[in-house]
Amino acid sequence: MEYCKYCGKKLDKKSRCTCKDFLKENPEKESVETEVIFDGKKPIKADGITKDKLKKYGILAAVAAVILLIFLLAVMIFSSANAYKKPVKDVIKGVNKADTELILEAVYTEDALAEKRVEVKNSNLTWKDYLKQNDKKIDSKLDESGFKRAKYDIVAKEKLSGSNLEEVETFYADEYGADVKKAYRVEVEFEFKTKGGEETPNCWLTVVKLKNDGWKFCPKFSDNAYYITEAVNIS
């Protein structure tokens, strides 16, 4: 057992003492007795951790936080830059699943969907029954056409401007009372798997960003991608 040559107290397991004379001569052995660090769940007494080590841990934590923030910002920027793809993805997914609700949400504004629900209610149908009926209609129509599944790849886009954009803006203002913030024509390479083989058309689809509704697929100003068009018309 070791004892401090200054005060006579027992030294700890690392040959340290907390008296002033010992610390004055051995500053590098100063221990932090009252600090508490957290590992995310339980408090841990920081006995034996020097102030220099705590400082390093603090710097490392700050660097990790900055890296995480940069990563999150990058993800947000990437997601925002590719948000125009979502209505295309959703409408094709809706066709593959014969999912009326997914198609409606990819095409119509919230106000238009609300009006649709009122119409359905007034026709003495529940919204759930309406969706089931239309799912069956889509499935039946596509099956008659020989459709099995659609795959796609977005290969290009161009921003609408001038008279082309004005035409789209007028349509949404008249049809939905909605303001168009941005619109793209998107080139899509389709691969339709059918009972007769494969069909691989290239189509230009239009997507619009509405002021209060985000990005939507606009069938009126899109090429006729047969199976997609049929499913959207039924829904």
Side-chain angles (χ1 to χ4, degrees):
M1 183 69 67
E2 293 182 274
Y3 296 89
C4 178
K5 64 182 181 180
Y6 300 104
C7 68
K9 291 181 181 179
K10 291 180 182 179
L11 299 180
D12 64 16
K13 293 179 181 180
K14 296 187 179 181
S15 301
R16 297 172 304 180
C17 183
T18 58
C19 74
K20 292 181 179 180
D21 290 332
F22 180 89
L23 295 176
K24 185 176 180 180
E25 187 173 319
N26 303 280
E28 73 282 358
K29 291 188 176 181
E30 181 179 359
S31 60
V32 182
E33 298 290 345
T34 58
E35 296 279 9
V36 174
I37 354 176
F38 291 87
D39 64 358
K41 294 181 180 179
K42 299 178 180 179
I44 304 172
K45 189 174 181 181
D47 183 32
I49 301 179
T50 65
K51 289 182 177 178
D52 285 343
K53 285 184 178 179
L54 284 177
K55 186 176 180 181
K56 289 179 181 178
Y57 294 155
I59 292 172
L60 289 174
V63 171
V66 171
I67 292 173
L68 178 61
L69 179 60
I70 292 172
F71 173 75
L72 291 175
L73 286 173
V75 170
M76 289 174 62
I77 292 171
F78 178 80
S79 299
S80 177
N82 289 277
Y84 73 93
K85 296 179 180 179
K86 188 176 186 303
V88 176
K89 176 183 176 182
D90 286 349
V91 79
I92 295 171
K93 186 177 180 181
V95 171
N96 283 330
K97 290 187 170 185
D99 188 328
T100 301
E101 190 165 36
L102 197 55
I103 294 172
L104 290 174
E105 289 175 351
V107 175
Y108 294 101
T109 65
E110 283 298 319
D111 288 343
L113 282 174
E115 291 178 8
K116 188 76 173 177
R117 290 188 182 94
V118 171
E119 289 177 13
V120 170
K121 184 179 180 181
N122 291 338
S123 65
N124 296 319
L125 266 180
T126 66
W127 183 247
K128 185 176 181 180
D129 287 340
Y130 166 76
L131 294 176
K132 282 184 178 180
Q133 288 182 11
N134 276 272
D135 290 349
K136 289 179 180 179
K137 288 179 183 178
I138 292 172
D139 191 43
S140 177
K141 179 65 177 179
L142 293 178
D143 186 60
E144 288 176 7
S145 303
F147 175 86
K148 288 186 175 181
R149 185 170 181 80
K151 292 184 178 180
Y152 75 100
D153 185 25
I154 295 176
V155 295
K157 71 171 182 178
E158 60 180 33
K159 188 175 181 179
L160 292 185
S161 60
S163 59
N164 291 327
L165 178 59
E166 289 175 6
E167 191 175 10
V168 173
E169 288 174 334
T170 300
F171 168 75
Y172 275 92
D174 293 344
E175 190 74 15
Y176 300 107
D179 295 327
V180 175
K181 295 178 67 177
K182 192 184 297 184
Y184 291 140
R185 289 267 289 168
V186 180
E187 185 179 8
V188 182
E189 288 182 352
F190 282 105
E191 181 184 309
F192 294 126
K193 291 190 175 183
T194 69
K195 294 175 182 177
E198 289 186 357
E199 299 173 21
T200 56
N202 268 43
C203 299
W204 284 89
L205 308 182
T206 297
V207 293
V208 299
K209 186 176 183 181
L210 303 178
K211 185 175 181 181
N212 297 314
D213 288 276
W215 286 96
K216 298 293 178 181
F217 167 61
C218 179
K220 179 175 176 62
F221 296 98
S222 298
D223 291 350
N224 185 356
Y226 179 71
Y227 304 108
I228 306 298
T229 305
E230 285 295 308
V232 171
N233 287 341
I234 293 172
S235 62

